[in-house]
Amino acid sequence: MSDEKITHFGYSQVPIQEKAARVRAVFDSVANRYDLMNDLMSLGIHRLWKRHTIELAGVRRGQRVLDLAAGTGDLTERFARIVGDEGLVVSSDINAAMLSRGRERLTDLGVVGNLDYVLANAETLPFASDAFDCVTIAFGLRNVTHKQAAIDEMFRVLRPGGRALILEFSHPTTQPLRRVYDVYSFSVLPNLGRMIVNDAESYRYLAESIRMHPDQETLRAMMEQGGFERCDYFNMTGGIVAIHRGYKL
């Protein structure tokens, strides 16, 4: 099998055409307790990471926002409240179970009327060019098979003057933190997954997929390659998470 026909799934090498299905199976497995696991894994800090992403997005009333890999809708909910009735937020995910869970959650919260839900692959978005003022993807880019294609698509669907934000697990900035984080990732996370959702393997994949994700400078270069300008990033929690931002000018 040639290198062009394989990709990584965590530390494993799999045929390119199989990766999306494998990622889908991971999230099918954890969808019902996804929010609980996020709180437990991050000790609730993921809420602060997402809040800072919202602040950096600078979205205003009446604007159009695309939330990729929206999951259960944390960012979607906040954006919907900001853009108001005159705006629109599209919640998109490749996983039907996650998208359905997000729709149920937001409906229960009364966040309706200015939302659309779209099942879509971030690499081939079903939207017109220059359609959105802001595009975000939170904890989803590392699961995409062709990351550059997804970044290119984010650029395409943005209006001139629009901005994209990528919130993702990244690479700790100090060696001592890396060592502690490795122990936590490969020992604590799988055991937590086994106890809460009876699925250690999905959280072992999570730890591996984070290690395979591009580091901060590499991801910024990929955004620049995709056409974004004024690209920068913000390390959170010692670089365990980073928020990348770029503009379509």
Side-chain angles (χ1 to χ4, degrees):
M1 185 177 293
S2 68
D3 291 342
E4 289 77 13
K5 294 182 180 179
I6 62 174
T7 188
H8 62 83
F9 178 76
Y11 289 161
S12 302
Q13 295 291 307
V14 300
I16 282 177
Q17 65 271 21
E18 289 184 11
K19 180 170 180 176
R22 290 186 179 224
V23 170
R24 190 176 301 115
V26 166
F27 287 94
D28 282 344
S29 174
V30 304
N32 287 337
R33 295 198 174 182
Y34 182 77
D35 292 322
L36 173 61
M37 281 298 295
N38 280 348
D39 282 331
L40 292 174
M41 288 190 303
S42 71
L43 303 177
I45 299 174
H46 73 98
R47 301 176 187 276
L48 299 178
W49 299 333
K50 292 169 182 173
R51 183 182 304 167
H52 194 41
T53 303
I54 297 289
E55 293 169 353
L56 290 172
V59 168
R60 301 187 301 277
R61 192 169 186 85
Q63 291 192 324
R64 294 170 58 90
V65 179
L66 173 61
D67 184 17
L68 295 171
T72 56
D74 282 350
L75 293 188
T76 298
E77 176 193 351
R78 291 168 173 79
F79 282 133
R81 297 187 189 280
I82 293 171
V83 302
D85 294 339
E86 299 87 354
L88 175 69
V89 180
V90 177
S91 177
S92 179
D93 204 293
I94 195 173
N95 184 274
M98 293 295 292
L99 197 63
S100 176
R101 178 74 186 90
R103 186 168 194 162
E104 291 172 2
R105 175 178 169 272
L106 296 188
T107 300
D108 288 345
L109 290 172
V111 183
V112 296
N114 62 350
L115 294 177
D116 281 341
Y117 296 87
V118 177
L119 188 67
N121 186 332
E123 298 176 23
T124 53
L125 295 175
F127 307 112
S129 299
D130 305 332
F132 297 97
D133 299 288
C134 181
V135 179
T136 60
I137 183 167
F139 303 116
L141 186 62
R142 74 180 186 283
N143 297 313
V144 174
T145 303
H146 301 100
K147 295 175 178 61
Q148 189 64 56
I151 291 170
D152 294 347
E153 280 290 87
M154 292 170 73
F155 183 83
R156 180 184 66 81
V157 301
L158 272 175
R159 293 172 174 167
R163 57 273 182 211
L165 291 101
I166 301 170
L167 170 62
E168 188 54 88
F169 292 111
S170 197
H171 294 245
T173 55
T174 67
Q175 190 60 41
L177 181 57
R178 289 192 194 105
R179 288 196 291 267
V180 172
Y181 189 46
D182 280 345
V183 171
Y184 175 77
S185 298
F186 291 102
S187 297
V188 177
L189 283 188
N191 285 323
L192 195 60
R194 177 178 52 79
M195 290 186 292
I196 302 301
V197 296
N198 194 31
D199 184 354
E201 287 305 313
S202 290
Y203 288 92
R204 188 168 291 108
Y205 161 74
L206 168 65
E208 293 176 359
S209 69
I210 293 169
R211 299 318 186 278
M212 298 300 292
H213 188 67
D215 64 20
Q216 289 90 325
E217 286 293 336
T218 302
L219 184 53
R220 176 163 65 178
M222 292 172 69
M223 293 187 74
E224 291 172 345
Q225 181 180 330
F228 288 100
E229 299 183 47
R230 292 170 52 193
C231 297
D232 53 4
Y233 62 84
F234 306 84
N235 283 321
M236 307 282 288
T237 318
I240 289 175
V241 162
I243 305 169
H244 283 70
R245 180 177 60 181
Y247 296 84
K248 182 175 181 176
L249 301 177

